[in-house]
Amino acid sequence: MKAVRILVIALLAFVVGACGSSHDQAASNPGTLRVALLPDENAATVIQNNQPLKNYLQSKLGKQVELVVTTDYSSMIEAMRRGRLELAYFGPLSYVLARSKDPDVQPFAALVEEPGGPPVYHALVIGNVAQHIAAIPDLKGKTMAYGDPASTSSHLIPKSMLADQGLKAGQNYQEQFVGAHDAVALAVQNGNAAGGGISKPIFDTLVQQGKIDPAKVRVLAESKPYPNYPWTMRSDLDPKLKSAVVEAFLSLKDPAVLKPFKAASFAPVGDADYDVVRQLSTQLGLDLSSLSK
């Protein structure tokens, strides 16, 4: 009888496991991939600019692709945590925040700006020319515009650059969060803020497009290199699908797809590459949990 009971228990365990495996397989290999892009510019513009990416992924993966742009970084992190996204393009800090809430968020590729270069980028501190802001110390007693609180290049890095020169938010200057990178640049250009933090590639593009006048906005300082924006996926996706996704990004050469990312290509990255971002947050005394609420 004991042997029979053991056999029955074993069979039940097998059946439950098989059912669970079938359900997980269906859930981890969906017919439509929801792919989130950073809300660092107007949502409609981001989606329109990334139609080549959508078409490329659909052709490479044999699946439908839905591009998603959330209202802000926090809602993007939450959507990923709740399994409402399969792939997401995060900033370094927003990735660290997402990973702290859900270890199933897995980075696999980051953009490379120059052919053959490393997957790193720089942030800038910019200043208003009319207010005679020529260097970071000139921001003392002024207003500094940041993007989203969970942004690396328009908050975390520029804030650390000011801190390195003895300027602390709330003590030596006032800070305001205006959302997107382009909003930071416009706030500085229009004189609503004396300085601002912004991604170097985005600032350069805004100048090239004529949206920002270098006669009105000057670059005060450029940061050291930091690990670039990572593409992430849910670790519970079907292994074959995950391999296909990684291959699609690492083999990507189409200029039309790469252009919106201001990238030459994508290179492999892992979670440990973003430890420097975690360390920077600690040095600034930032409560990461509060940044994504």
Side-chain angles (χ1 to χ4, degrees):
M1 288 295 293
K2 182 177 181 181
V4 172
R5 285 200 301 271
I6 292 174
L7 178 60
V8 170
I9 291 171
L11 286 172
L12 285 172
F14 174 79
V15 171
V16 171
C19 291
S21 174
S22 175
H23 174 75
D24 291 343
Q25 184 176 12
S28 63
N29 197 2
T32 298
L33 294 179
R34 296 163 295 183
V35 179
L37 298 158
L38 275 172
D40 54 8
E41 295 181 86
N42 176 270
T45 300
V46 172
I47 290 177
Q48 179 60 40
N49 290 345
N50 284 281
Q51 288 304 304
L53 171 68
K54 177 179 178 178
N55 296 335
Y56 172 77
L57 291 178
Q58 288 183 158
S59 66
K60 292 287 285 188
L61 302 176
K63 293 182 178 293
Q64 291 298 307
V65 169
E66 176 188 352
L67 297 183
V68 178
V69 179
T70 59
T71 54
D72 55 24
Y73 287 56
S74 296
S75 53
M76 182 175 171
I77 292 169
E78 187 66 11
M80 192 68 169
R81 185 178 74 84
R82 293 185 176 275
R84 294 171 182 161
L85 302 169
E86 281 71 50
L87 275 66
Y89 181 58
F90 282 110
L93 178 57
S94 54
Y95 158 69
V96 168
L97 293 170
R99 176 82 174 203
S100 70
K101 291 177 175 290
D102 185 355
D104 286 333
V105 180
Q106 175 183 336
F108 64 89
L111 71 86
V112 174
E113 294 178 5
E114 300 293 337
V120 299
Y121 79 122
H122 301 78
L124 301 176
V125 175
I126 57 177
N128 180 278
V129 172
Q131 295 184 38
H132 308 293
I133 307 298
I136 286 179
D138 296 332
L139 293 169
K140 184 175 182 179
K142 305 290 186 179
T143 297
M144 180 76 175
Y146 293 123
D148 190 287
S151 172
T152 318
S153 55
S154 68
H155 179 214
L156 183 64
I157 297 174
K159 179 170 280 187
S160 72
M161 294 167 72
L162 267 65
D164 287 344
Q165 298 203 34
L167 299 183
K168 295 184 178 181
Q171 297 181 24
N172 309 111
Y173 68 92
Q174 299 302 312
E175 64 180 356
Q176 61 179 7
F177 293 96
V178 297
H181 288 251
D182 52 354
V184 170
L186 289 171
V188 176
Q189 178 166 277
N190 296 335
N192 296 325
I198 190 171
S199 161
K200 183 177 187 294
I202 292 178
F203 180 76
D204 290 344
T205 298
L206 292 171
V207 171
Q208 292 167 8
Q209 293 174 342
K211 296 179 180 178
I212 295 299
D213 185 351
K216 297 180 180 179
V217 180
R218 64 164 57 99
V219 174
L220 307 182
E222 181 176 316
S223 76
K224 65 182 182 181
Y226 283 89
N228 223 324
Y229 291 41
W231 271 102
T232 69
M233 67 173 79
R234 294 202 57 78
S235 64
D236 57 0
L237 291 178
D238 179 82
K240 290 184 179 180
L241 175 58
K242 289 168 67 175
S243 295
V245 169
V246 172
E247 171 61 21
F249 278 91
L250 297 186
S251 64
L252 177 53
K253 303 297 181 186
D254 188 342
V257 180
L258 292 166
K259 183 178 179 181
F261 298 96
K262 307 166 187 68
S265 62
F266 288 95
V269 292
D271 177 68
D273 292 309
Y274 296 89
D275 284 346
V276 63
V277 177
R278 296 181 175 97
Q279 294 164 4
L280 195 56
S281 303
T282 301
Q283 291 168 6
L284 288 172
L286 295 179
D287 178 4
L288 294 183
S289 63
S290 69
L291 295 179
S292 58
K293 289 181 178 179

